Amino acid sequence: MIALEFNFNVLTRDLPVYLENQVKIGLFGSGVGLSLVLGFSAAYACYYLIAVAKKPQLIGGGKKFCEFLREQCPVVSETYYPTFWCWESRVQTLLRPFVTAKPWVTYRNELIRAADGGQISLDWFDNDDSAAYPDPVTRPTVLLLPGLTGTSRESYILHMVQQSRELGYRCVVFNNRGVAGEQLLTPRTYCAANTEDLEAVIEHVYRSSEGAPMMAAGVSMGGMMLANYLGRKGQDTCLRGVVVFSAGWDVFECTASLEKPLDRFLFNSYLTSCLQASVDRHRTVLEKCFDIDHVMKAKTIREFDERFTSIMFGYPTNEDYYQDASPVHRLKSVQVPMLCLNAADDVFSPHHAIPVEAVKQNPNLALLITCHGGHIGFLEGLWPRRSTYMDRVFRQFAKAVIENGSSLRDL
């Protein structure tokens, strides 16, 4: 019995050592495991460099604008290297809010009245410490428009404010009605087709600093609104230039793409719930004009628009609203230099709906298409905390328009 207990103790004591040695010998000592790891790594690196990391495609309606971009914005000609461990479209889209840092920004809030009696919330970053432009009268102003349910606190907005801070510019974020915590005074929110609030904001911001150059940047629905605004106004605008990120150009194609099973599960249902939450916060004002209980039962963005948005803005049908909201129909009328960045793998704005031919017909337009990047993703680098490809495009284009935009006259 004593001998048996001794042998058992020896066996249990030496078993972990034995197994550890066998694993080392079996996987790496023999070289087989190491060869597999190295082989897989080499294959993945080759695939990444051949199929993933590529130069973006620059498409323009005129030679002059494209030459300006290549000279003033070298990022448009550089290879875009998506973060190697998350280059897939949906992963980029989902991870960006979590992996990118949120720079600390202190805003000055301003509420302005709209023509219908409603109020619009503007968040100003005055940049009074600007060394490049110490005089606030001449300090350039950048107007920023967030996405569908976004506010001035979105990471992509904070990054653009940070880039503008470093350039010495002032920023103002246009928050759509009812999303930034302000009270809704009238039964009206916002949509991509109606640009009345945007027109009022641009006029107000310009009057606040008439001696300063002004440009704008819009993200997702904010970009759609900006494009529709420019298409309506032509040359009758104070904006020197516009940059648009991840815009949906054809709303019919965008909603159809988001209704595919996987994308409906990952994105559509969540965004619908965000829209409904905003409506529910202002139920006491909105329920006088809309069937809020019916709106709260919507399962998709399309159903939400059918029950709420299209009705609010007086469209006979939701199809009429989507037709009017699609910027692709107004691109021919844009008379201000506008750069548009889209990813070919963006499920919100599918590749086949990117308006390549329409852009080719207007010398004021340029379209930059990356193979990867997702929707407002454009992550790059090993750990993309501080900056993205989109941030670099914004910074270079903003600086080019503000400081060298005179060369873009008479495109």
Side-chain angles (χ1 to χ4, degrees):
M1 178 65 71
I2 295 175
L4 180 61
E5 183 177 348
F6 172 78
N7 292 337
F8 179 76
N9 290 336
V10 171
L11 178 60
T12 55
R13 182 193 65 197
D14 294 340
L15 184 58
V17 178
Y18 171 78
L19 290 175
E20 182 179 354
N21 289 334
Q22 286 299 107
V23 169
K24 288 180 179 180
I25 295 173
L27 289 180
F28 298 105
S30 65
V32 175
L34 181 59
S35 298
L36 287 173
V37 171
L38 292 176
F40 175 79
S41 300
Y44 185 82
C46 289
Y47 176 79
Y48 175 86
L49 293 173
I50 294 172
V52 178
K54 292 185 177 183
K55 288 186 177 182
Q57 184 182 9
L58 180 62
I59 300 164
K63 184 178 179 181
K64 185 176 180 180
F65 193 14
C66 287
E67 288 180 347
F68 172 85
L69 290 171
R70 291 190 181 98
E71 179 181 343
Q72 300 293 332
C73 309
V75 67
V76 305
S77 302
E78 297 171 0
T79 299
Y80 167 48
Y81 294 93
T83 299
F84 78 95
W85 51 269
C86 66
W87 50 264
E88 196 274 333
S89 167
R90 295 171 184 82
V91 178
Q92 285 244 342
T93 304
L94 291 168
L95 284 185
R96 165 151 189 165
F98 302 103
V99 301
T100 54
K102 285 192 173 185
W104 178 255
V105 175
T106 301
Y107 290 114
R108 170 176 62 85
N109 183 256
E110 179 185 17
L111 295 174
I112 64 173
R113 283 301 178 99
D116 70 328
Q119 62 181 359
I120 304 168
S121 175
L122 302 179
D123 282 323
W124 290 82
F125 174 73
D126 296 303
N127 205 5
D128 290 328
D129 296 327
S130 172
Y133 298 93
D135 184 358
V137 175
T138 58
R139 187 177 302 145
T141 303
V142 181
L143 175 65
L144 302 176
L145 282 72
L148 181 62
T149 59
T151 69
S152 59
R153 290 298 171 186
E154 305 303 323
S155 64
Y156 55 82
I157 292 292
L158 295 172
H159 276 246
M160 287 192 282
V161 173
Q162 175 66 26
Q163 300 289 338
S164 300
R165 187 208 314 250
E166 294 172 2
L167 291 170
Y169 305 159
R170 162 177 49 222
C171 284
V172 54
V173 184
F174 166 35
N175 298 294
N176 287 307
R177 293 199 204 188
V179 301
E182 79 282 8
Q183 184 181 358
L184 203 62
L185 301 182
T186 59
R188 171 171 166 166
T189 55
Y190 59 93
C191 76
N194 189 286
T195 59
E196 292 173 358
D197 282 1
L198 176 58
E199 292 175 32
V201 166
I202 290 175
E203 183 179 350
H204 173 79
V205 172
Y206 182 70
R207 284 201 314 266
S208 301
S209 52
E210 291 192 21
M214 182 176 173
M215 68 158 292
V219 181
S220 191
M221 196 202 76
M224 296 167 64
M225 193 181 295
L226 262 179
N228 282 326
Y229 162 81
L230 290 180
R232 288 193 174 103
K233 302 295 286 186
Q235 292 183 334
D236 186 22
T237 178
C238 59
L239 297 178
R240 290 193 177 185
V242 165
V243 59
V244 168
F245 301 105
S246 297
W249 299 104
D250 186 323
V251 182
F252 293 100
E253 296 296 336
C254 295
T255 52
S257 178
L258 287 174
E259 286 170 355
K260 294 177 181 178
L262 180 58
D263 299 317
R264 175 171 174 165
F265 171 74
L266 290 175
F267 307 113
N268 202 327
S269 298
Y270 171 74
L271 288 173
T272 303
S273 67
C274 290
L275 291 167
Q276 290 169 323
S278 181
V279 168
D280 197 45
R281 281 197 301 272
H282 305 288
R283 177 184 283 264
T284 54
V285 176
L286 296 172
E287 64 184 359
K288 301 172 185 177
C289 303
F290 307 96
D291 185 350
I292 301 302
D293 290 335
H294 187 51
V295 173
M296 297 302 290
K297 294 177 183 177
K299 301 299 182 184
T300 64
I301 295 174
R302 187 195 299 270
E303 290 182 1
F304 178 88
D305 288 335
E306 289 173 346
R307 303 175 186 193
F308 185 74
T309 313
S310 61
I311 298 173
M312 172 177 287
F313 289 93
Y315 290 97
T317 67
N318 195 55
E319 286 70 26
D320 292 310
Y321 163 51
Y322 279 4
Q323 178 74 15
D324 197 32
S326 300
V328 64
H329 306 300
R330 295 193 177 90
L331 290 180
K332 62 181 180 293
S333 302
V334 174
Q335 298 297 313
V336 171
M338 182 169 76
L339 173 63
C340 314
L341 174 64
N342 281 89
D345 63 354
D346 184 354
V347 299
F348 284 70
S349 184
H351 188 202
H352 65 270
I354 296 177
V356 173
E357 294 305 318
V359 168
K360 289 180 180 179
Q361 305 304 315
N362 188 336
N364 294 286
L365 301 178
L367 181 61
L368 191 64
I369 305 176
T370 58
C371 288
H372 299 278
H375 187 70
I376 328 175
F378 301 103
L379 302 175
E380 62 181 358
L382 182 62
W383 185 248
R385 287 281 294 167
R386 298 189 177 278
S387 180
T388 67
Y389 182 81
M390 172 178 146
D391 297 333
R392 292 197 291 131
V393 171
F394 167 78
R395 182 189 181 107
Q396 293 182 18
F397 184 74
K399 183 178 181 181
V401 166
I402 295 295
E403 300 179 15
N404 300 292
S406 58
S407 61
L408 290 177
R409 293 172 184 168
D410 302 321
L411 282 177

